[in-house]
Coordinates of all heavy atoms in Angstrom, one line a residue:
M9 N 22.2 29.8 -34.4 CA 21.7 29.4 -33.1 C 22.2 30.2 -31.9 O 21.5 30.5 -31.0 CB 22.0 27.9 -32.9 CG 21.4 27.3 -31.8 SD 19.5 27.3 -31.6 CE 19.1 25.7 -31.3
M10 N 23.5 30.5 -32.0 CA 24.2 31.2 -31.0 C 23.6 32.7 -30.9 O 23.4 33.1 -29.8 CB 25.7 31.3 -31.3 CG 26.5 32.0 -30.2 SD 26.3 31.1 -28.7 CE 27.9 31.1 -28.2
N11 N 23.3 33.2 -32.0 CA 22.7 34.6 -31.9 C 21.4 34.7 -31.3 O 21.0 35.6 -30.5 CB 22.7 35.2 -33.4 CG 22.5 36.7 -33.4 OD1 22.7 37.3 -32.4 ND2 22.1 37.2 -34.5
T12 N 20.5 33.7 -31.6 CA 19.3 33.6 -31.0 C 19.4 33.3 -29.4 O 18.6 33.9 -28.6 CB 18.5 32.5 -31.6 OG1 18.4 32.6 -32.9 CG2 17.0 32.4 -31.0
T13 N 20.4 32.6 -29.1 CA 20.6 32.3 -27.6 C 20.9 33.6 -26.9 O 20.5 33.9 -25.8 CB 21.7 31.2 -27.4 OG1 21.3 30.1 -28.1 CG2 21.8 31.0 -25.9
M14 N 21.9 34.3 -27.5 CA 22.3 35.6 -26.9 C 21.2 36.7 -26.8 O 21.0 37.3 -25.8 CB 23.5 36.2 -27.6 CG 24.8 35.5 -27.4 SD 25.2 35.3 -25.6 CE 25.5 37.0 -25.2
E15 N 20.4 36.7 -27.8 CA 19.2 37.6 -27.8 C 18.2 37.2 -26.8 O 17.7 38.1 -26.1 CB 18.5 37.7 -29.2 CG 19.3 38.3 -30.3 CD 18.7 38.1 -31.7 OE1 17.7 37.4 -31.8 OE2 19.3 38.7 -32.6
G16 N 18.0 35.9 -26.6 CA 17.1 35.5 -25.5 C 17.5 35.8 -24.2 O 16.8 36.2 -23.3
L17 N 18.9 35.6 -23.9 CA 19.4 35.8 -22.6 C 19.5 37.3 -22.3 O 19.3 37.8 -21.2 CB 20.8 35.2 -22.5 CG 20.9 33.7 -22.4 CD1 22.3 33.2 -22.4 CD2 20.1 33.2 -21.3
V18 N 19.7 38.1 -23.3 CA 19.7 39.6 -23.2 C 18.3 40.1 -22.8 O 18.1 40.9 -21.9 CB 20.3 40.3 -24.5 CG1 20.0 41.8 -24.4 CG2 21.8 40.1 -24.5
L19 N 17.2 39.5 -23.5 CA 15.9 39.8 -23.3 C 15.5 39.4 -21.8 O 14.9 40.2 -21.1 CB 14.9 39.2 -24.2 CG 13.5 39.4 -24.0 CD1 13.1 40.9 -24.1 CD2 12.7 38.6 -25.0
A20 N 16.0 38.3 -21.4 CA 15.7 37.8 -20.0 C 16.4 38.7 -19.1 O 15.8 39.1 -18.0 CB 16.2 36.4 -19.8
G21 N 17.6 39.2 -19.3 CA 18.3 40.1 -18.4 C 17.6 41.5 -18.4 O 17.5 42.0 -17.3
I22 N 17.2 42.0 -19.5 CA 16.5 43.3 -19.5 C 15.2 43.1 -18.7 O 14.8 44.0 -17.9 CB 16.3 43.7 -21.0 CG1 17.5 44.1 -21.6 CG2 15.2 44.9 -21.0 CD1 17.4 44.3 -23.1
L23 N 14.5 42.1 -18.9 CA 13.2 41.8 -18.1 C 13.4 41.8 -16.6 O 12.8 42.4 -15.8 CB 12.4 40.7 -18.6 CG 11.6 40.8 -19.9 CD1 11.2 39.4 -20.3 CD2 10.6 41.8 -19.7
F24 N 14.5 41.1 -16.2 CA 14.9 41.0 -14.8 C 15.2 42.3 -14.3 O 14.8 42.7 -13.2 CB 16.0 40.0 -14.6 CG 16.2 39.6 -13.2 CD1 15.4 38.5 -12.6 CD2 17.1 40.2 -12.4 CE1 15.6 38.2 -11.3 CE2 17.3 39.9 -11.1 CZ 16.6 38.8 -10.5
V25 N 16.0 43.1 -14.9 CA 16.4 44.4 -14.5 C 15.3 45.3 -14.4 O 15.1 46.1 -13.4 CB 17.5 45.0 -15.3 CG1 17.9 46.5 -15.0 CG2 18.8 44.1 -15.2
L26 N 14.4 45.3 -15.3 CA 13.2 46.1 -15.3 C 12.3 45.8 -14.0 O 11.7 46.6 -13.3 CB 12.3 46.0 -16.5 CG 12.8 46.7 -17.8 CD1 12.0 46.4 -19.0 CD2 12.9 48.2 -17.5
G27 N 12.2 44.4 -13.8 CA 11.4 44.0 -12.6 C 12.0 44.4 -11.3 O 11.4 44.8 -10.3
L28 N 13.4 44.4 -11.3 CA 14.1 44.8 -10.1 C 14.1 46.2 -9.9 O 13.7 46.7 -8.7 CB 15.6 44.3 -10.2 CG 16.4 44.6 -9.0 CD1 15.9 43.8 -7.8 CD2 17.9 44.3 -9.3
I29 N 14.1 47.0 -10.8 CA 14.0 48.5 -10.8 C 12.6 48.9 -10.3 O 12.4 49.7 -9.4 CB 14.5 49.2 -12.0 CG1 15.9 49.0 -12.2 CG2 14.0 50.7 -12.0 CD1 16.4 49.6 -13.6
S30 N 11.7 48.3 -10.9 CA 10.3 48.5 -10.5 C 10.0 48.1 -9.1 O 9.2 48.8 -8.4 CB 9.3 47.8 -11.4 OG 8.0 48.0 -11.2
M31 N 10.6 47.0 -8.7 CA 10.4 46.5 -7.3 C 10.9 47.6 -6.3 O 10.4 47.8 -5.2 CB 11.1 45.2 -7.2 CG 11.1 44.6 -5.8 SD 9.5 43.9 -5.5 CE 9.8 43.2 -3.9
L32 N 12.1 48.1 -6.7 CA 12.8 49.0 -5.7 C 12.1 50.5 -5.8 O 12.1 51.2 -4.8 CB 14.3 49.2 -6.1 CG 15.1 48.0 -5.9 CD1 16.5 48.1 -6.6 CD2 15.1 47.6 -4.5
I33 N 11.5 50.9 -6.9 CA 11.0 52.2 -7.0 C 9.5 52.3 -6.5 O 9.2 53.2 -5.8 CB 11.0 52.7 -8.4 CG1 12.4 52.9 -8.8 CG2 10.2 53.9 -8.7 CD1 12.6 53.2 -10.3
R34 N 8.7 51.3 -6.8 CA 7.3 51.4 -6.5 C 7.0 51.2 -5.0 O 7.7 50.4 -4.4 CB 6.4 50.3 -7.3 CG 6.5 50.6 -8.8 CD 5.7 51.8 -9.1 NE 5.6 51.8 -10.6 CZ 4.6 52.3 -11.1 NH1 3.4 52.7 -10.5 NH2 4.4 52.4 -12.4
R35 N 6.0 51.8 -4.5 CA 5.7 51.7 -3.1 C 4.3 50.9 -3.0 O 4.0 50.6 -1.8 CB 5.5 53.0 -2.4 CG 6.8 53.9 -2.3 CD 7.7 53.3 -1.3 NE 8.7 52.3 -2.0 CZ 9.4 51.4 -1.3 NH1 9.4 51.2 -0.1 NH2 10.2 50.7 -2.0
N36 N 3.6 50.8 -4.1 CA 2.4 50.0 -4.0 C 2.6 48.5 -4.0 O 3.4 48.1 -4.8 CB 1.5 50.4 -5.3 CG 0.1 49.9 -5.1 OD1 -0.2 48.9 -4.6 ND2 -0.8 50.7 -5.8
I37 N 2.0 47.9 -3.0 CA 2.2 46.4 -2.9 C 1.8 45.6 -4.1 O 2.5 44.7 -4.4 CB 1.6 45.9 -1.6 CG1 2.1 46.7 -0.4 CG2 1.8 44.5 -1.4 CD1 1.3 46.4 0.9
I38 N 0.8 46.0 -4.8 CA 0.4 45.2 -5.9 C 1.4 45.4 -7.0 O 1.7 44.3 -7.7 CB -1.0 45.6 -6.4 CG1 -2.1 45.2 -5.3 CG2 -1.5 45.1 -7.8 CD1 -3.4 45.7 -5.7
F39 N 1.9 46.5 -7.3 CA 3.0 46.8 -8.3 C 4.2 46.0 -7.9 O 4.9 45.5 -8.8 CB 3.3 48.2 -8.5 CG 2.2 48.9 -9.3 CD1 1.4 50.0 -8.8 CD2 1.9 48.5 -10.5 CE1 0.5 50.6 -9.5 CE2 0.9 49.1 -11.3 CZ 0.2 50.2 -10.8
M40 N 4.5 45.9 -6.7 CA 5.7 45.1 -6.2 C 5.5 43.6 -6.5 O 6.4 42.9 -6.9 CB 5.9 45.4 -4.7 CG 6.4 46.8 -4.4 SD 6.4 47.1 -2.7 CE 7.9 46.4 -2.2
L41 N 4.3 43.1 -6.3 CA 4.0 41.7 -6.7 C 4.0 41.5 -8.1 O 4.7 40.5 -8.5 CB 2.5 41.4 -6.1 CG 2.1 40.0 -6.2 CD1 2.9 39.1 -5.2 CD2 0.6 39.8 -5.8
I42 N 3.6 42.4 -8.9 CA 3.8 42.3 -10.3 C 5.2 42.3 -10.8 O 5.7 41.5 -11.7 CB 3.0 43.4 -11.1 CG1 1.6 43.2 -10.9 CG2 3.4 43.4 -12.6 CD1 0.7 44.3 -11.3
S43 N 6.1 43.1 -10.1 CA 7.5 43.2 -10.4 C 8.2 41.9 -10.0 O 9.0 41.4 -10.9 CB 8.2 44.3 -9.6 OG 7.6 45.5 -9.9
V44 N 7.7 41.2 -9.0 CA 8.3 39.9 -8.7 C 8.0 38.9 -9.8 O 8.7 38.0 -10.2 CB 7.9 39.5 -7.3 CG1 8.2 38.0 -7.1 CG2 8.5 40.3 -6.2
E45 N 6.7 39.0 -10.2 CA 6.3 38.0 -11.3 C 7.1 38.3 -12.6 O 7.5 37.3 -13.3 CB 4.8 38.3 -11.7 CG 3.9 37.8 -10.5 CD 3.9 36.4 -10.4 OE1 4.0 35.5 -11.3 OE2 3.9 35.9 -9.1
I46 N 7.4 39.5 -13.0 CA 8.2 39.8 -14.1 C 9.6 39.2 -13.9 O 10.2 38.6 -14.9 CB 8.3 41.3 -14.3 CG1 7.0 41.9 -14.8 CG2 9.4 41.7 -15.4 CD1 6.9 43.3 -14.9
M47 N 10.2 39.3 -12.7 CA 11.5 38.8 -12.5 C 11.5 37.2 -12.6 O 12.4 36.6 -13.1 CB 12.0 39.2 -11.1 CG 12.4 40.6 -11.1 SD 13.3 41.2 -9.7 CE 12.0 40.8 -8.3
L48 N 10.4 36.6 -12.1 CA 10.3 35.1 -12.2 C 10.2 34.7 -13.7 O 10.8 33.7 -14.0 CB 9.1 34.6 -11.4 CG 9.3 34.5 -9.8 CD1 8.0 34.2 -9.1 CD2 10.3 33.5 -9.4
N49 N 9.4 35.4 -14.5 CA 9.2 35.1 -15.9 C 10.6 35.3 -16.5 O 10.8 34.6 -17.5 CB 8.1 35.9 -16.5 CG 6.8 35.3 -16.2 OD1 6.6 34.2 -15.9 ND2 5.8 36.3 -16.1
A50 N 11.4 36.2 -16.2 CA 12.7 36.5 -16.8 C 13.7 35.3 -16.5 O 14.3 34.8 -17.4 CB 13.3 37.8 -16.3
A51 N 13.5 34.8 -15.3 CA 14.4 33.6 -14.9 C 13.9 32.5 -15.8 O 14.7 31.7 -16.2 CB 14.3 33.4 -13.5
G52 N 12.6 32.3 -15.8 CA 12.1 31.1 -16.7 C 12.5 31.2 -18.1 O 12.8 30.2 -18.7
L53 N 12.5 32.4 -18.6 CA 12.9 32.6 -20.0 C 14.4 32.2 -20.2 O 14.8 31.6 -21.2 CB 12.6 34.1 -20.5 CG 13.1 34.4 -21.9 CD1 12.3 33.6 -22.9 CD2 12.9 35.9 -22.1
A54 N 15.2 32.6 -19.3 CA 16.6 32.3 -19.3 C 16.8 30.7 -19.3 O 17.6 30.2 -20.0 CB 17.4 32.9 -18.2
F55 N 16.0 30.1 -18.4 CA 16.1 28.6 -18.4 C 15.7 28.0 -19.7 O 16.4 27.1 -20.2 CB 15.3 28.0 -17.3 CG 15.9 28.0 -15.9 CD1 15.3 28.8 -14.9 CD2 17.0 27.3 -15.7 CE1 15.9 28.8 -13.6 CE2 17.7 27.2 -14.5 CZ 17.1 28.0 -13.4
I56 N 14.7 28.4 -20.3 CA 14.2 27.9 -21.5 C 15.2 28.2 -22.7 O 15.5 27.2 -23.5 CB 12.8 28.5 -21.9 CG1 11.8 28.2 -21.0 CG2 12.4 28.2 -23.4 CD1 11.4 26.7 -21.1
V57 N 15.7 29.3 -22.7 CA 16.8 29.7 -23.8 C 18.0 28.9 -23.6 O 18.5 28.4 -24.6 CB 17.1 31.1 -23.8 CG1 18.2 31.5 -24.7 CG2 15.9 32.0 -24.3
A58 N 18.5 28.7 -22.4 CA 19.7 28.0 -22.2 C 19.5 26.5 -22.5 O 20.4 25.9 -23.0 CB 20.1 28.1 -20.7
A59 N 18.4 26.0 -22.1 CA 18.0 24.6 -22.4 C 17.9 24.3 -24.0 O 18.2 23.3 -24.4 CB 16.8 24.1 -21.6
A60 N 17.4 25.3 -24.6 CA 17.2 25.1 -26.0 C 18.6 25.2 -26.8 O 18.8 24.5 -27.7 CB 16.3 26.2 -26.6
R61 N 19.5 25.9 -26.2 CA 20.9 26.0 -26.7 C 21.5 24.7 -26.7 O 22.2 24.2 -27.7 CB 21.6 27.1 -26.0 CG 23.1 27.0 -26.2 CD 23.5 27.5 -27.6 NE 24.8 27.6 -27.8 CZ 25.7 26.6 -28.3 NH1 25.1 25.5 -28.6 NH2 26.9 26.8 -28.5
W62 N 21.4 23.9 -25.6 CA 22.1 22.6 -25.4 C 21.1 21.5 -25.8 O 21.6 20.3 -25.6 CB 22.6 22.5 -24.1 CG 23.8 23.3 -23.9 CD1 25.0 23.1 -24.5 CD2 23.9 24.6 -23.1 NE1 25.9 24.2 -24.1 CE2 25.2 25.0 -23.2 CE3 23.1 25.3 -22.3 CZ2 25.7 26.2 -22.5 CZ3 23.4 26.4 -21.7 CH2 24.9 26.9 -21.8
G63 N 19.9 21.7 -26.1 CA 19.0 20.6 -26.4 C 18.6 19.7 -25.3 O 18.5 18.6 -25.5
Q64 N 18.5 20.3 -24.1 CA 18.2 19.5 -22.9 C 16.8 19.9 -22.4 O 16.4 21.1 -22.5 CB 19.2 19.8 -21.8 CG 20.6 19.4 -22.2 CD 20.8 18.0 -22.3 OE1 20.1 17.2 -21.5 NE2 21.6 17.5 -23.2
P65 N 16.0 19.0 -21.8 CA 14.7 19.3 -21.3 C 14.7 19.9 -20.0 O 13.6 20.3 -19.5 CB 14.0 18.0 -21.3 CG 15.1 17.0 -21.2 CD 16.3 17.5 -21.8
E66 N 15.9 20.0 -19.3 CA 15.8 20.5 -17.9 C 15.3 21.9 -17.8 O 14.7 22.3 -16.7 CB 17.2 20.3 -17.3 CG 17.6 18.9 -16.8 CD 18.2 18.2 -18.0 OE1 18.5 18.8 -19.1 OE2 18.5 17.0 -17.9
G67 N 15.6 22.8 -18.7 CA 15.2 24.1 -18.7 C 13.6 24.2 -18.7 O 13.0 25.0 -18.0
Q68 N 12.9 23.4 -19.4 CA 11.5 23.4 -19.4 C 10.9 22.8 -18.1 O 9.9 23.3 -17.7 CB 11.0 22.6 -20.6 CG 11.3 23.2 -22.0 CD 11.0 22.3 -23.2 OE1 10.7 21.1 -22.9 NE2 11.2 22.7 -24.3
V69 N 11.6 21.8 -17.5 CA 11.3 21.3 -16.2 C 11.4 22.4 -15.2 O 10.5 22.6 -14.3 CB 12.0 20.2 -15.9 CG1 11.8 19.7 -14.4 CG2 11.7 19.0 -16.8
M70 N 12.5 23.2 -15.2 CA 12.7 24.3 -14.3 C 11.6 25.4 -14.4 O 11.1 26.0 -13.6 CB 14.1 24.9 -14.4 CG 15.2 24.0 -13.8 SD 14.9 23.6 -12.0 CE 15.0 25.2 -11.4
F71 N 11.3 25.6 -15.7 CA 10.2 26.7 -16.0 C 8.9 26.2 -15.4 O 8.1 27.0 -15.0 CB 10.1 26.9 -17.5 CG 9.1 28.0 -17.8 CD1 9.4 29.3 -17.5 CD2 7.9 27.7 -18.4 CE1 8.6 30.3 -17.7 CE2 7.0 28.7 -18.8 CZ 7.4 30.1 -18.4
M72 N 8.5 24.9 -15.5 CA 7.3 24.4 -14.9 C 7.4 24.6 -13.4 O 6.4 25.1 -12.8 CB 7.1 23.0 -15.2 CG 6.8 22.8 -16.6 SD 5.3 23.5 -17.1 CE 4.5 22.2 -18.0
F73 N 8.5 24.4 -12.7 CA 8.7 24.6 -11.4 C 8.6 26.1 -11.0 O 7.9 26.5 -10.0 CB 10.1 24.1 -10.9 CG 10.4 24.5 -9.5 CD1 9.8 23.7 -8.4 CD2 11.3 25.5 -9.1 CE1 10.0 24.0 -7.2 CE2 11.6 25.8 -7.8 CZ 10.9 25.1 -6.8
I74 N 9.1 27.0 -11.8 CA 8.9 28.4 -11.6 C 7.5 28.8 -11.7 O 7.0 29.7 -11.0 CB 9.8 29.2 -12.6 CG1 11.3 29.1 -12.3 CG2 9.5 30.7 -12.7 CD1 12.3 29.6 -13.3
L75 N 6.7 28.3 -12.7 CA 5.3 28.6 -12.8 C 4.5 28.2 -11.6 O 3.6 28.9 -11.1 CB 4.7 27.9 -14.1 CG 5.0 28.5 -15.4 CD1 4.4 27.7 -16.6 CD2 4.5 30.0 -15.4
A76 N 4.8 27.0 -11.1 CA 4.2 26.5 -9.9 C 4.5 27.5 -8.7 O 3.6 27.8 -7.9 CB 4.6 25.0 -9.6
M77 N 5.8 27.8 -8.6 CA 6.2 28.7 -7.5 C 5.5 30.0 -7.6 O 5.1 30.6 -6.7 CB 7.7 28.9 -7.5 CG 8.2 29.6 -6.4 SD 10.0 29.6 -6.3 CE 10.5 30.4 -7.8
A78 N 5.4 30.5 -8.9 CA 4.8 31.9 -9.1 C 3.3 31.8 -8.7 O 2.8 32.8 -8.2 CB 4.9 32.3 -10.5
A79 N 2.6 30.7 -9.0 CA 1.2 30.6 -8.6 C 1.0 30.6 -7.2 O 0.1 31.2 -6.6 CB 0.6 29.3 -9.3
A80 N 1.9 29.8 -6.5 CA 1.8 29.9 -5.0 C 2.1 31.2 -4.4 O 1.4 31.6 -3.4 CB 2.8 28.9 -4.4
E81 N 3.1 31.9 -5.0 CA 3.5 33.3 -4.5 C 2.4 34.2 -4.8 O 2.1 35.1 -3.9 CB 4.7 33.7 -5.2 CG 5.2 35.1 -4.9 CD 4.9 36.0 -6.0 OE1 4.9 35.7 -7.1 OE2 4.9 37.2 -5.7
V82 N 1.7 34.1 -5.8 CA 0.6 35.0 -6.1 C -0.6 34.8 -5.1 O -1.2 35.7 -4.7 CB 0.0 34.9 -7.6 CG1 -1.3 35.5 -7.8 CG2 1.1 35.5 -8.5
S83 N -1.0 33.5 -4.9 CA -2.1 33.3 -4.0 C -1.7 33.8 -2.6 O -2.6 34.3 -2.0 CB -2.4 31.8 -4.0 OG -1.3 31.1 -3.6
V84 N -0.6 33.5 -2.2 CA -0.2 33.9 -0.8 C 0.0 35.5 -0.7 O -0.6 36.2 0.2 CB 1.0 33.3 -0.3 CG1 1.6 33.8 1.0 CG2 0.8 31.8 -0.1
G85 N 0.5 36.0 -1.7 CA 0.7 37.5 -1.8 C -0.7 38.2 -1.9 O -0.8 39.2 -1.2
L86 N -1.6 37.8 -2.6 CA -2.9 38.5 -2.8 C -3.6 38.3 -1.4 O -4.3 39.2 -1.1 CB -3.7 37.9 -3.9 CG -3.2 38.4 -5.3 CD1 -4.0 37.7 -6.4 CD2 -3.3 39.8 -5.4
A87 N -3.5 37.2 -0.8 CA -4.2 37.0 0.5 C -3.6 38.0 1.5 O -4.3 38.6 2.3 CB -4.0 35.6 1.0
L88 N -2.3 38.2 1.5 CA -1.6 39.2 2.4 C -2.0 40.6 2.1 O -2.3 41.4 3.0 CB -0.1 39.0 2.4 CG 0.4 37.8 3.0 CD1 1.9 37.7 2.8 CD2 0.2 37.8 4.6
I89 N -2.1 40.9 0.8 CA -2.5 42.2 0.3 C -3.9 42.6 0.8 O -4.2 43.7 1.3 CB -2.4 42.3 -1.2 CG1 -0.9 42.4 -1.6 CG2 -3.1 43.5 -1.7 CD1 -0.6 42.3 -3.0
L90 N -4.9 41.5 0.6 CA -6.2 41.8 1.1 C -6.3 42.0 2.6 O -7.0 42.9 3.1 CB -7.1 40.6 0.7 CG -7.5 40.4 -0.7 CD1 -8.2 39.1 -1.0 CD2 -8.3 41.7 -1.2
Q91 N -5.5 41.3 3.3 CA -5.5 41.5 4.8 C -4.9 42.9 5.2 O -5.3 43.6 6.0 CB -4.7 40.4 5.6 CG -5.3 39.1 5.6 CD -6.7 39.3 6.4 OE1 -6.7 39.9 7.4 NE2 -7.7 38.6 5.9
I92 N -3.8 43.3 4.5 CA -3.2 44.6 4.8 C -4.2 45.7 4.4 O -4.3 46.6 5.2 CB -1.9 44.7 4.0 CG1 -0.8 43.8 4.7 CG2 -1.4 46.2 4.0 CD1 0.4 43.7 3.8
Y93 N -4.8 45.6 3.3 CA -5.8 46.6 2.8 C -7.0 46.6 3.9 O -7.5 47.7 4.2 CB -6.2 46.4 1.5 CG -7.2 47.4 1.0 CD1 -6.7 48.7 0.7 CD2 -8.5 47.3 0.9 CE1 -7.5 49.7 0.2 CE2 -9.4 48.3 0.5 CZ -8.9 49.5 0.2 OH -9.6 50.6 -0.3
H94 N -7.4 45.5 4.4 CA -8.5 45.5 5.3 C -8.2 46.2 6.6 O -9.0 46.9 7.2 CB -8.9 44.0 5.5 CG -10.1 43.8 6.5 ND1 -11.3 44.2 6.1 CD2 -10.1 43.3 7.7 CE1 -12.1 43.9 7.2 NE2 -11.4 43.4 8.2
Q95 N -7.0 46.0 7.1 CA -6.6 46.6 8.3 C -6.1 48.1 8.1 O -6.5 48.9 9.0 CB -5.4 45.8 8.9 CG -5.8 44.5 9.4 CD -4.6 43.7 10.1 OE1 -3.6 44.2 10.1 NE2 -5.0 42.5 10.6
L96 N -5.4 48.4 7.1 CA -4.8 49.8 6.9 C -5.6 50.7 6.0 O -5.3 51.9 6.0 CB -3.4 49.7 6.5 CG -2.4 48.9 7.5 CD1 -1.1 48.9 6.8 CD2 -2.4 49.5 8.8
K97 N -6.4 50.2 5.1 CA -7.1 50.9 4.1 C -6.2 51.6 3.1 O -6.4 52.6 2.6 CB -8.1 51.9 4.7 CG -9.1 51.4 5.7 CD -10.1 50.5 4.9 CE -11.1 50.1 6.0 NZ -11.2 48.7 6.1
T98 N -5.0 51.1 3.0 CA -4.0 51.6 2.0 C -3.1 50.4 1.6 O -3.0 49.4 2.2 CB -3.1 52.7 2.6 OG1 -2.2 53.2 1.6 CG2 -2.3 52.2 3.8
L99 N -2.5 50.5 0.4 CA -1.6 49.6 -0.1 C -0.2 50.1 -0.2 O 0.6 49.5 -0.9 CB -2.1 49.1 -1.6 CG -3.4 48.3 -1.6 CD1 -3.8 48.0 -3.1 CD2 -3.2 47.0 -0.8
D100 N 0.1 51.1 0.4 CA 1.4 51.7 0.5 C 2.3 50.9 1.4 O 2.0 50.5 2.6 CB 1.4 53.2 1.1 CG 2.7 53.9 0.9 OD1 3.5 53.4 0.1 OD2 2.9 54.8 1.7
S101 N 3.5 50.4 0.9 CA 4.4 49.5 1.7 C 5.0 50.2 2.9 O 5.3 49.6 3.8 CB 5.4 49.0 0.7 OG 6.3 50.0 0.3
D102 N 5.2 51.5 2.7 CA 5.7 52.3 3.9 C 4.7 52.3 5.1 O 5.2 52.1 6.2 CB 6.0 53.7 3.5 CG 7.1 53.8 2.5 OD1 8.0 52.9 2.5 OD2 7.1 54.8 1.8
E103 N 3.5 52.3 4.8 CA 2.5 52.3 5.9 C 2.4 50.9 6.5 O 2.3 50.7 7.7 CB 1.1 52.7 5.4 CG 1.0 54.1 5.0 CD 1.2 55.1 6.2 OE1 0.7 54.7 7.3 OE2 1.7 56.2 6.0
A104 N 2.6 49.9 5.7 CA 2.5 48.4 6.2 C 3.7 48.2 7.1 O 3.7 47.4 7.9 CB 2.5 47.5 5.0
S105 N 4.8 48.9 6.8 CA 6.1 48.6 7.6 C 6.0 49.2 8.9 O 6.8 48.9 9.8 CB 7.3 49.1 6.9 OG 7.3 50.5 6.8
K106 N 5.0 50.1 9.1 CA 4.9 50.8 10.4 C 3.9 50.1 11.4 O 3.8 50.5 12.5 CB 4.3 52.2 10.2 CG 5.2 53.1 9.5 CD 4.6 54.5 9.2 CE 5.5 55.3 8.4 NZ 4.9 56.6 8.1
M107 N 3.5 48.9 10.9 CA 2.5 48.1 11.7 C 3.2 47.6 13.0 O 4.4 47.2 12.9 CB 1.9 46.9 11.0 CG 0.8 47.4 10.0 SD 0.0 46.1 9.1 CE 0.5 44.6 9.8
R108 N 2.4 47.5 14.1 CA 2.9 46.9 15.3 C 2.0 45.9 15.8 O 0.7 46.1 15.6 CB 3.2 47.9 16.4 CG 4.4 48.7 16.2 CD 4.7 49.5 17.4 NE 3.7 50.6 17.6 CZ 3.5 51.1 18.7 NH1 4.3 50.9 19.8 NH2 2.6 52.1 18.9
G109 N 2.4 44.8 16.5 CA 1.6 43.8 17.1 C 0.6 43.3 16.3 O -0.3 42.7 16.5

């Protein structure tokens, strides 16, 4: 059981680091949104693995909360992306940071 827990936590850590690196490297806003989703799923995986280790249901409850938060983040994020693309005709985050007023 301990080996499975460590493997799950290592996988969650790798996924989180990959999402973080992708978030820092990519300039496209859609890829940045996908990177945040990867990081949220990695956190959810860590909650599930830790809860399974101790036999507690709180990890699954936290994962449901993370899923709800990710759904809200995607809906707001896509609405903002559509507005940015409508105004700037690009999805480059550097161009969006130059906006005024």
Side-chain angles (χ1 to χ4, degrees):
M9 183 64 127
M10 182 62 135
N11 197 15
T12 306
T13 303
M14 286 305 292
E15 289 172 356
L17 290 177
V18 167
L19 177 62
I22 290 171
L23 282 174
F24 190 86
V25 169
L26 284 175
L28 183 65
I29 290 171
S30 178
M31 177 81 174
L32 296 174
I33 290 175
R34 295 288 186 148
R35 295 290 95 197
N36 190 327
I37 298 174
I38 292 178
F39 285 119
M40 293 170 79
L41 187 66
I42 292 171
S43 300
V44 170
E45 290 296 321
I46 291 172
M47 291 190 294
L48 284 172
N49 284 328
L53 178 63
F55 276 118
I56 294 289
V57 169
R61 166 69 174 93
W62 286 291
Q64 299 292 324
E66 285 89 4
Q68 294 171 356
V69 172
M70 286 301 296
F71 185 68
M72 293 297 225
F73 175 72
I74 288 173
L75 284 178
M77 186 175 59
E81 178 252 338
V82 164
S83 63
V84 171
L86 286 177
L88 288 172
I89 287 171
L90 285 173
Q91 286 297 317
I92 289 171
Y93 184 75
H94 180 69
Q95 289 180 0
L96 300 177
K97 303 293 187 245
T98 184
L99 291 176
D100 188 23
S101 64
D102 293 332
E103 292 296 322
S105 67
K106 295 177 186 176
M107 285 184 6
R108 285 192 291 161

